[in-house]
Amino acid sequence: MAQDATGAAATNFTRGIGLHTKPVPLEPYRSASFFAAERDRVFARAWLMLARVEELPAPGDYVVKSIPTNGVSVILSHAKDGRIRGFYNSCSHRGSEVVAGPRGNAARFTCPYHSWTYANDGRLVGIPDEPSFFAVDKANCGLTPIATETWEGWIFVNLQRRPEVSLAMFLGPFAVHLAGLKYQAASTPVVLTADLDANWKVVMDAFVETYHIPVIHPKTIGTTFSSKMNPFARLLDARKLGIHQAVSMYGNPEYVANPDNRVEALAYSAAATGSVIAAATTEGARAFLEHPSVNPTGSGTWSMDVNHLFPHTHIDCGPGGFWTHQFWPTSPNTCRYEVRFYVPQAQNVYERFQQELYVGRVAEIVLEDLNNVARTQRGIDTGGKDFMQIQDSEIGIRHTMEQLMKWVDADTVAEAMA
Amino acid sequence: MSVRTTLPLGFADLEPFVEQWAGATVDARMYARASADMAGIRRFYEVAVARGAEALEYCAQFPLDAMPDDAALLFRLMLGLAQASIAVEIHGQPRAPGTPWPNSITLQRGPSPFG
Ligand code: FES
Ligand SMILES: [Fe+2]
């Protein structure tokens, strides 16, 4: 690829994918009516990733998950028959939440209000003082199911009573892109959450572009993502995967730890070297990295890939493994953010020491972004600007907005996905 | 920390830092760093980093999930040193510049053990 005035290779992602190049509207980042449309026409109709199967591996295991955008508490339950089912966490008697969560193992769920009891496959099995009721149709008074499907270990739910499209149709080319990926350390995530003063897209946008990294994260990761060759951290690759997308990010091959960092040196003195997150370097880790959609351009200057699962989930892959971000809208200018870093169980004190450094550093990066997104939202809320100027390496922002507009406008999901 | 344990023999010089820096969870140790003043962080850092190699070597004799109480306390203090290093080696101040404190970031689940 040709270089331009910055010294970096020129890119042509936006036109290459067939997206327009006009400014992108800001109203969807502050409008109450757009927020309501996202809640009712996007989050209430799309398949939403809620968990991984490793969170409830054994029969009887359950987890309680929240969909804060729609105010829905979901019970995900692994019954004896091996199936994982989703239920609204609401009692058939007078509506109370049935299961407190966040996780456990039980054959039955008993409502804390008047002790109506349900089997973990949802059937109503016990009504105290049943003769005082008026012929309750028990067969129809089980927990209310939520459409639940699993793809490659990821558990999704759909709030439509009868989803218009199957999970397979919803995922489309995304499922092909990541097919067969061997997720490493999937049962040991480190989980951080934050309630942020910013529209969910403000936060999500900050994790799909690297343009800001040298500016907002100069000390934590700035030098990892940019270099003299690519000072503005332009993307390596961007692909449209139906309604989803994947971008691959540049990494600075010249980055070396500062030798004055005595604790960092201590962490890596005796232990095997390698990426922090992949403390356990195994065959599995190799298989993960050899997947054709991990570092899809085979670049020697690669840092990570963002696989954006519409509407609000990122499955990211880096040299050491995978992690996820989720951005749940809670109001026009607030959201709930959750990041899950899948870190192998440490085998010795050195690995555990490395993980402490890693988690501490990650929390600082999140903190830098948290501060930045609140400032961005305040600027947007002034109303002084109606449009954003979006560059080629910010393509993820443009693509998501285009998809959202379609979902908000379309009367059917098929139309939204066309 | 419910029961007062002391550090293994030979690490008495680190004893004054235990209460502040050897928290039981990542959250507690992160909090210790984020809410401390820089002079205090540096005092701990200088003393602890000088004993770091020895301390980790001592702890490494035991399985990670089955350390005697005194070794576990020493290891937790070393994890506190990892937190302190973020202030000393990255920011030159307790937290990333210009970031809010306290804030809504919550560590729901850390790496185990001592998470
Ligand atoms: S509301 Fe559940 S038993 Fe009454
Ligand atoms: Fe960032």
Side-chain angles (χ1 to χ4, degrees), chain A residues 103 187-196 219-220 258 260-267 336 343 345-350 352-353 355-357 359-361 363-364 366-368 370-371, chain B residues 26 29-30 33 45-46 49-50 52-53 56-57 59-60 64 67 75 78-79 81-83 85-86 89-91 95-96 98-100 103-115:
Chain A
R103 66 183 61 82
S187 40
T188 45
V190 169
V191 184
L192 282 164
T193 60
D195 291 302
L196 302 182
K219 291 183 173 170
T220 42
N258 180 347
D260 296 340
N261 289 350
R262 291 155 71 194
V263 168
E264 201 176 346
L266 200 58
R336 181 153 179 88
V343 173
Q345 177 63 50
Q347 299 301 317
N348 57 53
V349 297
Y350 295 98
R352 181 63 190 81
F353 190 70
Q355 289 177 351
E356 189 83 3
L357 273 178
V359 171
R361 196 179 262 253
E364 292 302 294
V366 171
L367 195 52
E368 288 171 338
L370 174 152
N371 196 40
Chain B
V26 183
R29 295 183 294 268
M30 204 139 56
R33 184 242 311 162
Y45 176 90
E46 288 303 334
V49 77
L56 288 178
E57 212 175 300
C59 297
L64 187 56
M67 284 188 207
F75 188 56
M78 287 297 110
L79 296 178
L81 172 63
Q83 288 295 338
S85 79
I86 290 179
E89 298 181 1
I90 298 177
H91 300 311
R95 303 176 310 281
T99 56
N103 57 61
S104 72
I105 297 180
T106 311
L107 187 75
Q108 306 283 355
R109 179 183 159 152
S112 74
F114 313 110

Side-chain angles (χ1 to χ4, degrees), chain A residues 292-303:
Chain A
S293 295
V294 174
N295 185 11
T297 62
S299 172
T301 56
W302 169 71
S303 59

Side-chain angles (χ1 to χ4, degrees), chain A residues 304-322:
Chain A
M304 59 179 278
D305 305 319
V306 175
N307 299 291
H308 176 218
L309 187 52
F310 183 84
H312 74 315
T313 299
H314 289 171
I315 301 176
D316 293 351
C317 296
F322 78 106

Side-chain angles (χ1 to χ4, degrees), chain A residues 68-130:
Chain A
T69 309
N70 304 75
V72 178
S73 170
V74 182
I75 306 163
L76 294 175
S77 170
H78 183 164
K80 280 210 291 288
D81 62 4
R83 237 182 94 185
I84 292 174
R85 294 174 176 81
F87 302 104
Y88 286 87
N89 192 2
S90 177
C91 182
S92 305
H93 175 223
R94 275 164 50 202
S96 169
E97 262 184 11
V98 177
V99 185
R103 66 183 61 82
N105 184 284
R108 296 184 162 196
F109 305 127
T110 300
C111 180
Y113 201 170
H114 315 87
S115 297
W116 282 37
T117 299
Y118 305 86
N120 66 3
D121 61 5
R123 280 173 303 124
L124 174 63
V125 293
I127 301 177
D129 194 17
E130 191 174 350

Side-chain angles (χ1 to χ4, degrees), chain A residues 26-49:
Chain A
L26 268 177
E27 198 54 21
Y29 287 74
R30 60 187 171 220
S31 136
S33 60
F34 198 85
F35 166 74
E38 287 176 328
R39 182 190 60 212
D40 300 338
R41 296 174 79 88
V42 183
F43 284 78
R45 299 197 293 179
W47 284 92
L48 305 171
M49 196 265 273

Side-chain angles (χ1 to χ4, degrees), chain A residues 84-348:
Chain A
I84 292 174
R85 294 174 176 81
F87 302 104
Y88 286 87
N89 192 2
S90 177
C91 182
S92 305
H93 175 223
R94 275 164 50 202
S96 169
E97 262 184 11
V98 177
V99 185
R103 66 183 61 82
N105 184 284
R108 296 184 162 196
F109 305 127
T110 300
C111 180
Y113 201 170
H114 315 87
S115 297
W116 282 37
T117 299
Y118 305 86
N120 66 3
D121 61 5
R123 280 173 303 124
L124 174 63
V125 293
I127 301 177
D129 194 17
E130 191 174 350
S132 291
F133 281 88
F134 303 96
V136 174
D137 177 5
K138 279 162 89 176
N140 280 309
C141 282
L143 294 170
T144 304
I146 296 181
T148 303
E149 288 189 36
T150 301
W151 165 74
E152 303 227 348
W154 300 106
I155 303 168
F156 291 76
V157 299
N158 190 308
L159 293 178
Q160 289 189 310
R161 286 282 154 116
R162 276 182 194 195
E164 290 173 63
V165 298
S166 66
L167 176 61
M169 285 166 70
F170 178 80
L171 294 173
F174 188 91
V176 178
H177 186 69
L178 291 186
L181 186 60
K182 300 270 181 292
Y183 294 99
Q184 296 300 297
S187 40
T188 45
V190 169
V191 184
L192 282 164
T193 60
D195 291 302
L196 302 182
D197 291 325
N199 181 277
W200 66 289
K201 298 185 293 297
V202 166
V203 185
M204 190 163 74
D205 293 354
F207 285 94
V208 79
E209 53 91 354
T210 45
Y211 186 36
H212 78 278
I213 287 182
V215 190
I216 297 293
H217 310 292
K219 291 183 173 170
T220 42
I221 45 173
T223 48
T224 311
F225 280 82
S226 62
S227 75
K228 277 192 248 91
M229 299 267 298
N230 188 1
F232 297 104
R234 289 180 183 172
L235 294 178
L236 295 170
D237 190 40
R239 297 178 193 201
K240 180 173 166 61
L241 303 167
I243 61 174
H244 318 285
Q245 61 185 320
V247 300
S248 190
M249 293 173 170
Y250 177 86
N252 177 10
E254 292 149 42
Y255 176 75
V256 274
N258 180 347
D260 296 340
N261 289 350
R262 291 155 71 194
V263 168
E264 201 176 346
L266 200 58
Y268 293 97
S269 54
T273 50
S275 167
V276 177
I277 189 170
T281 305
T282 61
E283 201 118 320
R286 224 176 355 263
F288 171 84
L289 288 173
E290 278 166 7
H291 189 281
S293 295
V294 174
N295 185 11
T297 62
S299 172
T301 56
W302 169 71
S303 59
M304 59 179 278
D305 305 319
V306 175
N307 299 291
H308 176 218
L309 187 52
F310 183 84
H312 74 315
T313 299
H314 289 171
I315 301 176
D316 293 351
C317 296
F322 78 106
W323 62 99
T324 62
H325 297 281
Q326 289 196 295
F327 314 91
W328 296 97
T330 49
S331 82
N333 53 16
T334 60
C335 69
R336 181 153 179 88
Y337 167 66
E338 178 169 304
V339 55
R340 303 173 80 89
F341 288 94
Y342 292 82
V343 173
Q345 177 63 50
Q347 299 301 317
N348 57 53

